[in-house]
Amino acid sequence: MRSFDNQLDLFRDDPRLAASQWRTAAEKSLEQFPKDLARHRYYLNQAEELEKQCTPTLPD
C-alpha cells in the first residue's frame, strides 16, 4: 500500500528513533565542536521534545 505524504509512517516517523538520533548528534557535536555548548543544548532540547511525545499521559 502506498503511503501518502500527509500521513505518518509508524516506522519511518517514530519519535523514539528521532530522539535517539538527536541524542547521538548531541554527543557527536561535543566531539566535533567542544566549545559550542549552545549547539549541544539545542540537540538535547530537540531530543527531549520528541521524548515528550513518546510518554503517555494519564487522564486526571
Side-chain angles (χ1 to χ4, degrees):
M1 178 183 252
R2 185 173 174 276
S3 177
F4 294 100
D5 290 337
N6 61 352
Q7 294 179 339
L8 292 178
D9 183 334
L10 293 177
F11 298 103
R12 185 190 67 203
D13 301 320
D14 182 20
R16 287 185 197 101
L17 176 61
S20 172
Q21 291 170 339
W22 277 103
R23 287 201 177 274
T24 302
E27 297 307 314
K28 291 294 181 183
S29 74
L30 277 182
E31 293 173 11
Q32 294 177 350
F33 310 103
K35 295 181 181 180
D36 191 0
L37 296 179
R39 180 189 308 252
H40 176 69
R41 189 70 229 156
Y42 173 77
Y43 290 158
L44 288 179
N45 285 337
Q46 294 297 318
E48 290 168 1
E49 287 298 317
L50 288 165
E51 288 167 349
K52 286 180 188 176
Q53 295 176 10
C54 299
T55 56
T57 55
L58 299 175
D60 292 336

